[in-house]
Amino acid sequence: MMAASPFDAAIYRELLQDDEVAALFSDIAELRALIRVEVALAKVQGELGLIPLDSASAIERDITESKIDPASLAAATGRDGVPVPALIAALRATMESPEHAQYLHWGATSQDIMDTGLMLRLREMCDLVDQRLKLLLQALADNADTHAELPMAGRTRAQIATPTSFGAVIAAWGTPLLIHLEALAQLEPRLLRVSLAGASGNATALGDKAGAVRSALAAELELGDSPICWHSDRAALSEFASLLTRVSGSLAKMAEDIILATRSEVAELGLMRSGGSSTMPQKNNPVVAETLVSLFRLNTAMDGLMTQALLHHQQRDGVAWALEWHALPQICMATAKSLALALDLAGELQPEAAAMETHISSGNGLIYAEAISFKLAETMSRPAAQAVVKELCVQALEQGCSLSQLVAQSYPEIDWTAIATPATQLGDAALQARTFAARVRQLGDQCRS
Amino acid sequence: MMAASPFDAAIYRELLQDDEVAALFSDIAELRALIRVEVALAKVQGELGLIPLDSASAIERDITESKIDPASLAAATGRDGVPVPALIAALRATMESPEHAQYLHWGATSQDIMDTGLMLRLREMCDLVDQRLKLLLQALADNADTHAELPMAGRTRAQIATPTSFGAVIAAWGTPLLIHLEALAQLEPRLLRVSLAGASGNATALGDKAGAVRSALAAELELGDSPICWHSDRAALSEFASLLTRVSGSLAKMAEDIILATRSEVAELGLMRSGGSSTMPQKNNPVVAETLVSLFRLNTAMDGLMTQALLHHQQRDGVAWALEWHALPQICMATAKSLALALDLAGELQPEAAAMETHISSGNGLIYAEAISFKLAETMSRPAAQAVVKELCVQALEQGCSLSQLVAQSYPEIDWTAIATPATQLGDAALQARTFAARVRQLGDQCRS
Amino acid sequence: MMAASPFDAAIYRELLQDDEVAALFSDIAELRALIRVEVALAKVQGELGLIPLDSASAIERDITESKIDPASLAAATGRDGVPVPALIAALRATMESPEHAQYLHWGATSQDIMDTGLMLRLREMCDLVDQRLKLLLQALADNADTHAELPMAGRTRAQIATPTSFGAVIAAWGTPLLIHLEALAQLEPRLLRVSLAGASGNATALGDKAGAVRSALAAELELGDSPICWHSDRAALSEFASLLTRVSGSLAKMAEDIILATRSEVAELGLMRSGGSSTMPQKNNPVVAETLVSLFRLNTAMDGLMTQALLHHQQRDGVAWALEWHALPQICMATAKSLALALDLAGELQPEAAAMETHISSGNGLIYAEAISFKLAETMSRPAAQAVVKELCVQALEQGCSLSQLVAQSYPEIDWTAIATPATQLGDAALQARTFAARVRQLGDQCRS
Amino acid sequence: MMAASPFDAAIYRELLQDDEVAALFSDIAELRALIRVEVALAKVQGELGLIPLDSASAIERDITESKIDPASLAAATGRDGVPVPALIAALRATMESPEHAQYLHWGATSQDIMDTGLMLRLREMCDLVDQRLKLLLQALADNADTHAELPMAGRTRAQIATPTSFGAVIAAWGTPLLIHLEALAQLEPRLLRVSLAGASGNATALGDKAGAVRSALAAELELGDSPICWHSDRAALSEFASLLTRVSGSLAKMAEDIILATRSEVAELGLMRSGGSSTMPQKNNPVVAETLVSLFRLNTAMDGLMTQALLHHQQRDGVAWALEWHALPQICMATAKSLALALDLAGELQPEAAAMETHISSGNGLIYAEAISFKLAETMSRPAAQAVVKELCVQALEQGCSLSQLVAQSYPEIDWTAIATPATQLGDAALQARTFAARVRQLGDQCRS
């Protein structure tokens, strides 16, 4: 089987494919959506008297369940650049009654059918993203609660910085997902609209009933109406692609942090669903997390294409439109799979408290340098305290002893109890973890419209 | 003067720079914003008793108007990777009283100050985009109204398709801008927040007043509060960059249509603010429109970088963060300049009705092929009508006569009056133009919160 | 059939798929290449005494024609992130003799097999690109020769500029392809190498025969040797992707020029292999040329991914490596299809001399403004001449008469014969066309090594 | 000072700017290059009799040292979209003799001057890249030699894999740079050419001496000749941008490996030129290495723009051309700075042998799992050996003892001496290090043409 994309390769099916999205972006699904739009169009045109009611019924009866072989459309699609003319011809040919068949696709243009058919599928995609985001948030919220006070070394610029908690780290992973959920709800009404604007966008062939037919079609398909033609306005599609890319970006950030935490030298997280090597028996590779990061990088490239597609020439642009065909399904697949993989990861997070403790204590206790400098600043100026501590850090490293020991020797008059211990150095880490969890729970109590 | 970007080159100042954005992204503006945040921080910390009130006052008094030479921070910034440590040292040095100076930057980390300082500037950027979008929409709405019924050939896939109106074309340019305005309003509360989370994001050094100080700082600076640290969550910045890129994409689509309409062979729009050649006296180059398209392409590249920056490692990532420094100012500059240039264009649109009419009539009247086929379909099936018209199109081209002539000869029994004329073939083009204009006017009546 | 990429969709097969490349990037082709590498490895290891000769023979005999079902590897590939461990297990299972089967994949790592297997397929890709480039160049050279002196308006910045010839335009299309051919030949030795470096790249498991085995494997597979491990050095792959992207970029430039020349208002080139509309009987859409442009835009996105993949962490990077799996096959497909489509276009170029002549004459003869200014500069300074001509251009447009008439009236003393005619204004256009054609013919006389 | 790019900001000068490249891409440098081309053009035109010799001399004398204020060209550049018309006017105005001034810019078009002027600067850029690559290679070769046998854990997919040597790791960093050096030498003749093709590319205004003038200009400026116009063929520029991006990609890979090796938990490399924190006294941030990675990401975005610029419409494209102005200087700056920073890093590599040893020994000796399985395969089949070792790995982790202990207990009959020690497990790591160093030394013996 040919596979320009590994998403479509049998070998990589379990690694990369998402079954639900695969069902939305198959040849069959594409044709089914186009047919559904044509049937709905005929139905509302029959009801509004644009075409005979009998013809509308015949169209619904004859083509709703049509099984057109996608490959049979390939030659004409190769010539026309779009599959709709060939599909219309094939559907008409399958109808028993040419007198009714002629009313199929009445007054519409190819792009109307393809864009509206796409919307039917993107509606399912929106639901899927919404649901998976919520499931993932729930799993992260549980973890944030559980580990709200588990001490862990914070890392900034690849260096151990000051203590924090694993729960706060999880809250930082999950909070952007709450934002994405909000943005998705705001975007949907902009995105999920009907298109019925005819050849050059002014619905001429639908006469003075153009608006009524379009509104009725929107209602029939449960999509938004669109009084102004959006054939050449692809902003909502680009916005959707960017949102999905940001979703996968937030997941990739979580995944990258997990990769760093599962490195052999760190080992603060247990390896989940890990992969084997063809030659090294001991290897446990972070395959799931790696896949999340690479799917995000893929999305950034595809999102760029969707952005380029905004530059849609005049009333219809064969170049810009085709970019969406390449980019959008890959973004949907990558994002949905990323959400599924992230949910797997979230369900298997195994923090190693001992390793976390080790990294806090290691490094000669320099992790407490900031805290010590603030304590010291109670008796001298803050810049002086920082300079003193900086010097003591150097000594600690050279002498191989702990910073807190050195500082206690130098400033025995100060009570150093309760400084060099995570217990007092977590700040509002636990509060952040619980705030995040509470927000997610609030969300769980709401219904999706 | 060094200029890695032509935005910063004296030669290209009039072509590419936007003065208002230049004022937001100068060295001076960056330092001023950082200082403003430090002053506000000291002020609320003084009020909340974290630092002495006297010190807060001294800080406000001594550094508010500080004139630090940006170049004097270069060496330390080169070493530290961020300018804040050097700036703090410089500010402390300028203060007369070391006992107060030590309380500057109390408990904050560099990223808090830089991110909050950025927000102060992005708030101005949001206002600027909002205002310019509204001005541009107004100009487009006026044009859409004026030219609502001006017939023009619709072009699909680079070919003349069916008639439409110039007003409908303008409505298609403007409608996405309405969407962007809506999206901007939805985004702002997500974007414009304070950051005050300290070294590893849990505000340890601020003790149990961390939340109170952060909220007070937000109030002082009129930014949103942010109970969960966003040091490593860059989603809102990426969303903002994508939105600006979509704005410039919609403008570039308008510009590309204008370039196509001002081509020598088309000449349906008069050339505005056009450029000269060094060797061809007659040239009137569409420089403004070209610039809009190239600025959009630049934005797509920069937006991609902002998306990459989502992959922010652990609690702070020196790589990902720096990407924003390269990309965000360029996106702001490109978008603001694009809005200004588009407003210029919109104010000078000179449609050439005669040229538009010529292109409708030219091409042997094939533009009416669809309309004729629908008329013919009143007496035969639609597929049959399409086949007949397709054949007559070929004949018209071969014989060099008009399609409507040929069809009248072949089907004299049909009343062809009022088919091959724009008057009857504009569909709801004028309605779309007026719908757009009405939406814009509604907007004008609302106040910006 | 699932299709995240339209390359893999049955509906779009004729529009987008290239059969020869499809055969290189199918599941079957991937497995066949991997097996071929394993067989060759066993063979040379047998010859060099690393594994028993009998085992090498058994491996060759038993697995060379193995028909492993790609789908049967999906589960393990999903776990391991690479298909090789599962493939080895499956191949061993198909062998009748476990005592020989154990010597399969001796001392190699998954990446060795996958990278070397990829090279076998990229070698075919290189040949295909070389051959198609040469065929296309031949077709363009014929056209350049034929139309070397056919006058045509040159367009700069979307405006008619000065006359040139169609042959010169074709030479400008073709010349970069000559460059790409040269770059391909220079790149191949850098690209087409064997990989046999084992787990961490130092071939430990191959002992002191590591170098000998690797060289022998290279010879056996007719690839270059690679004494230094390239597991984490992906520069040659990125260079290859960039080269293919440049190839498709040069073709897209040709295609965009063809779209512009076939626009209804220009019509200087006849429409070739054009597409129909579902509602407009007269439409002849430039589908092939549009496809060339959109495939190039796709390539730019994919090329960006290949560049990102240069950032390959440490000795093997599961993230960066996977990016290549997404990007490289799509680039190969897009480029090969682009070459095939461009060859179609080149074979059907139908210049319309009359339309070309019309556009030269139209626009009140302003196309001769530069030539007239140079003639005038024989009697006055060049700046003065330019100013005079600029003024006469304005008059010509206002009065609707030709520039050459006006100038003849104003300067009757000058002999204006032979200025405002393409015959004298083509410069070295024909020479450029013939120079290009000659270079191509020279090439045709050389053999490909 | 305005700074849309941090390259141009005073604050970030030491962090990001490269002085030598800054000198190539300043306003002044751009004007100087344009003037140099105009002077050379006049000179060869005088010699070939196209313009009076006196005028050529006057031009050379009067404008060679012209000090045009870049800002004075801004208004006209804003109108024309290119600075050349304004520059010509300004230069003519500075000349004392209008009778000579008129021969300035004779028969050329703006793009000729700008493209040729760019080539003069890119030639310096090529030399700079060549020299810095060689210096960096030398530094890496020295390190590779020195540390050829220093044992270090190889890491694949973020996990410790098998032992290798630090020298081999350095060889893997350096080898792609050798390739880039080769590619640069191959590219230069394609890139560094003169442009002199006039308005529409056929040099009409230069008459029958067009070719002679162009060749003479090429010789005068020591650039290659270009018989076929390359106004609209930007392939060589794109190839150059891709090459520089690959250079910075290879450096970023090295930098990322260094960041990973300097992480607090790894500490196998000492921190060089590291940066401080505004609040944490102990921090030593890997600022230089981070900057290398972020500059590479910037380059990938800019390289994408250069690739987009291949789609250059017709005979000159104001959109595509402007993309180069944004992207190319930023790529040159980022790459040159990256080379300088990488040279700094290479000069300060401080491997911590003890930490390297610790990581090899840690993890219960699982790093020797592959080696043990090969040893075991001498007495059982390889798959059986792998299964046994996999099981023993699990036991070692559970029991917290070393794998080699366990295996010695289970298989006391085998001589396990000299297996679980780096001394025997480095494969050809040292050979690779020395092979790389030798190749670099060979290079050093060659002269640059």
Side-chain angles (χ1 to χ4, degrees), chain A residues 80-82 92 102 106-107 153-158 161-164 169 171-172 175-176 179-180 182-183 186 190 199-205 210 214 227-229 232-233 235 238-239 242 245-246 249 252-253 256-257 260 293 296-297 300 303 307-308 310-316 318 370 374 377 380-383 386 424-429 432 435-436 439, chain B residues 80-82 92 102 106-107 153-158 161-164 169 171-172 175-176 179-180 182-183 186 190 199-205 210 214 227-229 232-233 235 238-239 242 245-246 249 252-253 256-257 260 293 296-297 300 303 307-308 310-316 318 370 374 377 380-383 386 424-429 432 435-436 439:
Chain A
D80 297 336
V82 281
R92 283 182 177 147
Q102 63 167 312
W106 191 263
R155 275 89 170 178
T156 60
R157 306 192 85 142
T162 64
T164 186
V169 167
T175 301
I179 297 296
H180 301 324
E182 178 184 291
Q186 291 171 342
R190 290 198 277 273
S200 290
N202 49 357
T204 312
R214 195 195 58 238
I228 295 174
C229 169
S232 68
D233 164 21
S238 168
E239 188 179 355
S242 292
T245 301
R246 283 198 304 279
K253 185 261 184 291
E256 189 73 55
D257 283 359
L260 287 167
V293 181
F296 166 60
R297 297 273 184 215
T300 64
D303 183 37
T307 312
Q308 301 278 1
L310 286 170
L311 195 39
H312 197 106
H313 289 193
Q314 299 182 316
Q315 281 64 60
R316 185 169 310 117
E370 188 200 34
F374 270 98
M380 65 181 77
S381 81
R382 174 124 177 78
Q386 282 191 296
T424 61
Q425 299 301 329
L426 295 191
D428 66 1
Q432 290 191 37
T435 301
F436 164 67
R439 284 190 188 173
Chain B
D80 299 335
V82 281
R92 283 183 177 147
Q102 63 168 313
W106 192 264
R155 273 89 171 180
T156 60
R157 308 192 82 142
T162 63
T164 187
V169 166
T175 300
I179 297 297
H180 300 324
E182 178 184 291
Q186 292 170 343
R190 289 198 277 275
S200 290
N202 50 356
T204 311
R214 196 195 56 239
I228 296 173
C229 169
S232 68
D233 164 21
S238 168
E239 187 179 356
S242 292
T245 301
R246 285 199 302 281
K253 183 261 184 293
E256 189 74 54
D257 285 0
L260 288 167
V293 180
F296 165 60
R297 297 274 184 215
T300 64
D303 183 37
T307 312
Q308 301 278 1
L310 287 170
L311 196 40
H312 197 106
H313 290 193
Q314 300 182 316
Q315 281 64 61
R316 184 167 312 118
E370 188 200 35
F374 270 98
M380 66 180 75
S381 82
R382 173 124 178 79
Q386 282 192 295
T424 61
Q425 299 300 328
L426 295 191
D428 66 2
Q432 290 190 37
T435 301
F436 164 67
R439 285 189 188 174

Side-chain angles (χ1 to χ4, degrees), chain C residues 102 155 157 162 182 186 190 200-202 253 257 297 308 312 314-316 382 426 432, chain D residues 102 155 157 162 182 186 190 200-202 253 257 297 308 312 314-316 382 426 432:
Chain C
Q102 63 168 314
R155 274 91 171 178
R157 306 191 84 141
T162 63
E182 179 184 290
Q186 292 170 342
R190 290 198 277 273
S200 290
N202 50 357
K253 185 263 185 290
D257 284 359
R297 297 274 184 213
Q308 301 279 2
H312 197 105
Q314 299 182 314
Q315 281 64 61
R316 186 168 309 117
R382 173 124 178 78
L426 295 191
Q432 290 191 37
Chain D
Q102 63 168 313
R155 274 89 170 179
R157 307 191 84 141
T162 64
E182 178 184 291
Q186 291 170 343
R190 289 199 277 274
S200 290
N202 51 354
K253 184 262 185 293
D257 285 0
R297 297 275 184 212
Q308 300 279 1
H312 197 106
Q314 299 182 316
Q315 280 64 61
R316 184 167 312 117
R382 173 124 177 78
L426 295 191
Q432 289 190 37

Side-chain angles (χ1 to χ4, degrees), chain D residues 189-412:
Chain D
R190 289 199 277 274
L191 177 68
L192 301 172
R193 299 149 301 161
V194 78
S195 175
L196 187 65
S200 290
N202 51 354
T204 311
L206 295 170
D208 52 15
K209 286 191 177 156
V213 173
R214 196 195 55 238
S215 297
L217 182 63
E220 174 70 22
L221 295 170
E222 297 180 64
L223 292 169
D225 194 5
S226 178
I228 296 174
C229 170
W230 57 279
H231 285 164
S232 68
D233 164 21
R234 317 307 285 180
L237 282 166
S238 168
E239 186 178 358
F240 183 58
S242 292
L243 173 57
L244 294 193
T245 301
R246 285 198 303 281
V247 167
S248 80
S250 299
L251 303 182
K253 184 262 185 293
M254 177 178 85
E256 189 73 54
D257 285 0
I258 290 173
I259 293 173
L260 288 167
T262 57
R263 289 185 64 85
S264 307
E265 310 91 342
V266 181
E268 295 187 358
L269 279 179
L271 276 170
M272 297 134 282
R273 265 189 65 186
S274 54
S277 155
S278 68
T279 188
M280 291 172 282
Q282 90 282 14
K283 286 295 289 297
N284 283 309
N285 296 319
V287 172
V288 169
E290 289 173 329
T291 302
L292 278 163
V293 180
S294 61
L295 289 178
F296 166 60
R297 297 275 184 212
L298 174 67
N299 265 358
T300 65
M302 290 294 155
D303 183 36
L305 272 185
M306 290 298 292
T307 313
Q308 300 279 1
L310 286 170
L311 196 39
H312 197 106
H313 290 193
Q314 299 182 316
Q315 280 64 61
R316 184 167 312 117
D317 181 341
V319 171
W321 193 17
L323 297 183
E324 300 171 5
W325 308 350
H326 287 280
L328 195 58
Q330 295 195 51
I331 292 177
C332 289
M333 179 66 76
T335 308
K337 184 68 177 179
S338 293
L339 283 162
L341 292 175
L343 189 58
D344 287 349
L345 282 180
E348 304 175 38
L349 289 176
Q350 300 175 334
E352 303 289 344
M356 291 176 173
E357 170 53 31
T358 299
H359 287 119
I360 290 175
S361 319
S362 72
N364 308 82
L366 298 195
I367 197 172
Y368 298 113
E370 188 199 34
I372 289 169
S373 74
F374 270 98
K375 183 72 184 172
L376 214 52
E378 293 174 8
T379 62
M380 65 180 76
S381 83
R382 173 124 177 78
Q386 282 191 296
V388 164
V389 175
K390 200 155 199 167
E391 174 53 28
L392 291 176
C393 285
V394 173
Q395 287 180 33
L397 288 171
E398 283 173 1
Q399 303 171 19
C401 62
S402 95
L403 175 63
S404 49
Q405 262 181 287
L406 281 187
V407 79
Q409 283 166 16
S410 306
Y411 300 92

